[in-house]
Every structure is written in structure tokens, then in C-alpha cells.
Amino acid sequence: MKNGTPEARPAVEARGVSKAFPGVIANAGVDLSVQRGEVHAVLGENGAGKSTLASILAGLYRPDDGEVLVGGEPVNFGSPRDALARGVGMVYQHFRLVERFTVAENVILGDPRQPMLLSTRRAENTVAELGRKYGLPVNPRASVEDLSVGEQQRVEIVKMLYRGADVLILDEPTAVLTPQESENLFETVRAMAAEGKSVIFISHKLSEVLAVSDRVTVMRDGRVVARAETADSDRRSLARAMVGRDVDLSVQRAEKAPGAPLLEIENLSAPGEGDAVPLTDVSLTVHAGEVVGVAGVSGNGQRTLAELAAGMRKPLSGRVLVKGLETTGRGPKATRRAGLAYVPEDRLGTGLAPSLSISENLLLTRPRPFFLKRKEMEATAREAIRQFEIRAPGPHAATRDLSGGNAQKALLARELSDGPEVIIVASPTRGLDVGATQAVREILDKRRRAGCAVLLISEDLDEVRSLSDRILVLYEGRIVHETSGEAANVEDLGLAMAGAG
Ligand SMILES: Nc1ncnc2c1ncn2[C@@H]1O[C@H](COP(=O)(O)OP(=O)(O)O)[C@@H](O)[C@H]1O
Ligand SMILES: [Mg+2]
């Protein structure tokens, strides 16, 4: 619990900042102190109050109470423009660029210092220069509508630098980036700090905070619950502060040898639906008590593979066997009866019916739900809510009112309730906070230890590596790489995912 040394005035500071929205206290007496040349992470789960704090520092919101100081002087920002005039700039979670303008035009747009027409050429040069200096390659003459999301983010950062920001606030910047783009961003962040700028790096991801920051402030429920030097921190201490209890995101791998083959996929080929890539000659086997991870950038045939395995589509060639019984293209119901459950990524699309209650949703895939009495339905739902720790007002709550993590747990509860031996899950923790992620991973691991065969399809390499006994990489519809879970190395996997394996 060290605090800034008194030698230098903090670049920016929040003192006792509070902010309420109807029904929720988003910030309750928050203190934050960020030095020059420092990367300061603000870590917290969804809803912890990080964006609210950032918006107050950047002049978007006024605090109800408390004050903001820049270079030791109290300030009273009425707008983001006021904040920028004092060197504080923010890159929001949702970009604010004008699509039809060029990069350089966007950078100078709204800049009170220069008239637009005169300065476009000069801006182009400066944009290119800033890009080189901080590792933010962007073509100043490109039209923003032609840029990838990662490039647009770079434009937003360049824009803040161009306007003279000394304090940059990045709100969950990696949410829209690939792993490689995230790595590049971390380098840019370090370069900015090395130039004496301060970066406030907001994230709910432990690995990022550990990789990029000098110090970290942890928020929970609108309050600061911990402050630390990053060098003195580890995943466990940060996760515990963030969640408020012990969390163990690593799963103990079972030592015992896997059992009988429960899911066998033999030489599957199928055309891609829509603009999806075709699947070409994919074979894999998942044994009892084994998790096989399929890694890959989404859009490389994952959905086709899952749907073929779940019997929802017919392949051009190849076979699917569940517990030795051929189920190829037999339809989802027959495949389910054979013992395979499929938990799709699209939880509220193909997964849950948002307008139905939890108890109704839990019974959607059961045979003949009409024979069940209301009381039994409720009892089943209550048991699932208890067993899967679904945080909901009760079995009658509509599924659409559940948070992402709780909706996912409800979906898993439904799909796993009748004891399938083969489980296919797609991106099971995408968008979930750390607590829910841990709960979902534990559910899957428990099933594995009970002897289920689990096929885990995910873009999240941390997830694939922490759960899987074996990992396959799917690229352009083919398996291009295979490794055991222990031997898996992020670089090799990343290269294979990019088609260079
Ligand atoms: N503009 C707003 N209006 C109403 N409630 C809000 C608003 N912004 C945030 N909140 C609420 O304040 C709390 C903190 O939100 P936020 O600062 O966005 O957290 P984080 O960025 O850590 O996810 C949440 O409960 C959120 O729903
Ligand atoms: Mg936020």
C-alpha cells in the first residue's frame, strides 16, 4: 500500500470523488494519484466504477463530491475540451471519429487552435511523425471508414497526442483488439510513459494489468479497495482484491489417462454457410475425462464444426460418432439423446429465450415439458439456481434481466442438467467478469473430472490453455496445429492462429 513519493506533484489526481446515478453509487470517495511517466492501471470488474472515474477525470462528468487536481492544482472541468486544454485526454470504449473524414482531418477536427483548411497538410505530417515516435502506424490520408477497429483506436490515441495530452486515459482499450494488436498497444503505452506522459490504463484483465502497468489501483463497487506496485502484485492478489474473495483461475489438470473415446469426428468436410470458410477434412477425438480445446480466430470454421458435431447440419463427407454411435447430420434432438450437449456462443440468440423465465428456459430442451407441473419446474429451477450459483431474484425472473455471467450459468445449467457425457462449448466465458469466468470454468472442469468429454471452442488462449488437455488450432477450416495442454506455448499458438504455424 505505497503511495506516490512526495518529490513530484502527481500529473493528475482524484480526491474523494463521488458520483451517483439513479439507483447506484458509481464512485464513492475515490482517491487516485497518477505520476508523470507512469502507467497506472485501474482494475475492476464490470460495474466497478472505472469508466465513471475516467469520465470525471476527462471532464465528461462532474463529480457530485470531491475534486480533481492537475499538477497539484484543483480544476473544475466543464467539458472534455476543458480537460484537454489542461492536458488530460481520454480514448473512449466507443470511438468518436467521423467516418467519412480522413485520419488527419479527424485529428484536427474540433481543434480550437487551428482553422481546418490551413492545417490539414501540417496535420498529416504531424500524424505520421507521432505514429513513428510511438509505434502507432496510421496513414494520415486514409479515410476512417476504411480502417480496422484497431487502426481507429490508433487514430484516437494520435488525436489526443496531437492535441497535447500529457495524461492519456485508455478505457478497456484491448476489448476490440487481437492479441497481436494488444501487444503493440502495450509497447505504445510504454513508449508514451518513457516520454514522460502518464497513462491511465483501465482494464478488467489481470494479465494486461500485470504486463503493462507500474502501479495499480483496484476498484470494487465504486470504491478503491487496493493500491499496489505492479511488481509486488500477482494474479492471485489482484484477483482477490477485484472480486473480494479468493479466486483460482487455473484448473488442476487431472493426472489420470483419459478413458474411452466419447466424441469422434472423422474427416469432416462441409461448405461454409454465408461467408464462413468451408471446413476441410477435420478429424478429432475427445475421450472421457478429457478437454480438447479448439483455438482459432473466430470465423475460421468454428461454428460449422460445432454445428456439424451437434448434428445441426449435414457434412459433405465424414462422420460424427457420439459414444460410438453414428449421429452424423441426425439433427440436434437425436444427437442430444445420444448424449451430446451443445452450448453455443450466442447465448441470447440460439441459447436462451430472453423473454421466458429462468425456470421456463431450463426446461426448453427437456422432452415433453408439458407433463411437468409448475411446482416441479420451479423446484428444478431453484435447484439449478443454487447449484450453479445463478444470481437472480428467483425462478420467475426473465432471462433477459440476468447479467451476462448469470445468463451463461443458466444456459449451462440447462444444457448440463440431464447429464450429457459429451459437451461442446463455444467461448463460454466471453464477456464475463472474473468471478463468473471462474465459476463457469469450474463447472466445466467438474464435468471433466466426472468423466465427460469436453470440446472447448474458444478464441481466448488463456482459457484454452488453462482448461485443455490437448489443443488444436483451426485455421481456414483446417486443423493446422496440435499440442498437449502443458506444452502449449502462446507464441506457437498465436502463429498457428494467424496461419503461420
Ligand atoms: N450514465 C449512467 N447512467 C446510469 N448509471 C450509470 C451510468 N454510467 C454508469 N452507471 C452505473 O454506474 C456503475 C459503474 O459503472 P461504470 O463506471 O461504467 O463501471 P465500469 O467501467 O467499471 O464497468 C454501474 O452500476 C453502472 O450501471
Ligand atoms: Mg467501463
Side-chain angles (χ1 to χ4, degrees):
M1 289 284 245
K2 286 178 217 163
N3 217 327
T5 41
E7 91 245 345
R9 290 206 178 116
V12 65
E13 231 180 318
R15 283 195 197 157
V17 160
S18 295
K19 176 84 184 171
F21 294 110
V24 51
I25 297 173
N27 278 185
V30 172
D31 293 330
L32 176 77
S33 166
V34 180
Q35 303 295 328
R36 270 174 55 81
E38 173 184 51
V39 181
H40 196 116
V42 176
L43 175 72
E45 295 198 283
N46 291 333
K50 307 179 297 293
S51 294
T52 302
L53 175 63
S55 300
I56 289 169
L57 295 174
L60 191 67
Y61 298 154
R62 282 176 192 276
D64 299 340
D65 206 354
E67 58 180 358
V68 173
L69 298 89
V70 172
E73 280 176 33
V75 290
N76 197 349
F77 298 146
S79 70
R81 186 176 287 204
D82 288 353
L84 205 46
R86 296 296 306 261
V88 181
M90 173 155 162
V91 173
Y92 295 89
Q93 274 170 302
H94 305 286
F95 305 143
R96 303 177 164 201
L97 299 171
V98 182
E99 296 225 318
R100 295 181 48 209
F101 282 14
T102 68
V103 168
E105 284 164 350
N106 264 284
V107 165
I108 53 180
L109 184 69
D111 188 338
R113 297 171 308 183
Q114 293 134 326
M116 183 136 176
L117 278 173
L118 287 179
S119 48
T120 307
R121 182 54 53 80
R122 201 175 339 139
E124 284 174 359
N125 292 333
T126 315
V127 165
E129 226 167 82
L130 286 169
R132 276 193 296 278
K133 183 165 174 189
Y134 294 107
L136 292 160
V138 280
N139 171 7
R141 295 191 184 182
S143 177
V144 163
E145 61 194 344
D146 296 330
L147 301 183
S148 72
V149 177
E151 288 170 319
Q152 292 187 28
Q153 183 182 71
R154 299 206 281 271
V155 176
E156 291 276 16
I157 295 173
V158 167
K159 180 171 176 169
M160 290 302 141
L161 293 169
Y162 182 88
R163 301 283 177 84
D166 293 318
V167 176
L168 267 115
I169 306 172
L170 306 178
D171 193 359
E172 309 252 6
T174 63
V176 296
L177 302 181
T178 65
Q180 266 81 6
E181 286 175 323
S182 298
E183 283 300 322
N184 293 341
L185 175 69
F186 296 162
E187 278 172 32
T188 296
V189 164
R190 301 298 332 169
M192 293 193 292
E195 287 288 319
K197 300 199 180 288
S198 309
V199 180
I200 300 178
F201 185 94
I202 298 176
S203 178
H204 66 269
K205 294 187 185 156
L206 303 168
S207 54
E208 293 182 350
V209 167
L210 288 167
V212 79
S213 68
D214 300 304
R215 286 197 299 162
V216 49
T217 293
V218 186
M219 292 184 71
R220 188 170 76 233
D221 294 336
R223 293 170 194 282
V224 172
V225 292
R227 288 188 186 84
E229 304 277 334
T230 308
D232 300 340
S233 309
D234 57 24
R235 289 177 75 87
R236 179 174 294 268
S237 63
L238 293 180
R240 173 199 295 209
M242 173 161 74
V243 183
R245 61 188 156 79
D246 264 320
V247 281
D248 182 3
L249 291 170
S250 68
V251 169
Q252 297 297 322
R253 248 181 223 110
E255 295 302 321
K256 64 177 170 69
L262 295 186
L263 174 65
E264 293 165 273
I265 289 176
E266 296 175 357
N267 310 103
L268 276 188
S269 293
E273 238 171 39
D275 51 7
V277 299
L279 205 69
T280 310
D281 199 24
V282 168
S283 297
L284 61 90
T285 303
V286 192
H287 301 86
E290 186 183 41
V291 177
V292 171
V294 175
V297 176
S298 101
N300 276 283
Q302 288 93 333
R303 179 180 276 262
T304 309
L305 173 61
E307 291 183 355
L308 287 169
M312 296 159 75
R313 295 176 52 183
K314 281 196 170 64
L316 277 179
S317 57
R319 303 199 300 165
V320 179
L321 291 92
V322 175
K323 297 198 280 173
L325 179 79
E326 178 162 357
T327 56
T328 323
R330 289 246 235 108
K333 278 196 185 135
T335 309
R336 193 180 177 87
R337 272 198 302 277
L340 181 145
Y342 171 37
V343 185
E345 175 179 344
D346 178 9
R347 303 197 263 273
L348 287 178
T350 47
L352 295 167
S355 57
L356 295 183
S357 71
I358 299 173
S359 63
E360 286 160 332
N361 261 293
L362 286 174
L363 295 164
L364 273 183
T365 56
R366 292 289 181 83
R368 288 185 292 174
F370 301 117
F371 283 73
L372 280 171
K373 299 224 171 60
R374 196 181 175 78
K375 273 230 171 84
E376 289 174 52
M377 277 173 61
E378 275 186 28
T380 313
R382 269 186 222 291
E383 173 56 23
I385 287 172
R386 191 192 60 76
Q387 200 188 337
F388 289 85
E389 296 176 10
I390 300 170
R391 261 177 255 155
H396 301 299
T399 317
R400 82 161 82 77
D401 295 333
L402 296 179
S403 71
N406 286 306
Q408 177 67 316
K409 285 188 265 180
L411 183 56
L412 282 167
R414 183 184 82 198
E415 295 302 323
L416 305 186
S417 60
D418 53 359
E421 285 171 69
V422 180
I423 300 164
I424 301 179
V425 281
S427 300
T429 63
R430 169 175 257 167
L432 304 192
D433 60 31
V434 171
T437 295
Q438 182 202 14
V440 166
R441 289 185 187 172
E442 275 174 7
I443 290 169
L444 293 173
D445 190 57
K446 220 183 257 174
R447 291 295 161 139
R448 176 189 56 178
R449 273 184 276 144
C452 290
V454 180
L455 185 66
L456 165 71
I457 299 174
S458 176
E459 280 183 89
D460 181 343
L461 279 185
D462 279 347
E463 171 159 277
V464 169
R465 289 193 324 141
S466 74
L467 280 172
S468 309
D469 301 290
R470 275 189 301 132
I471 300 174
L472 311 173
V473 176
L474 196 61
Y475 175 72
E476 295 201 335
R478 295 170 195 270
I479 306 274
V480 296
H481 188 79
E482 170 162 5
T483 166
S484 76
E486 284 113 275
N489 148 328
V490 180
E491 245 150 61
D492 290 348
L493 288 173
L495 285 172
M497 284 167 69

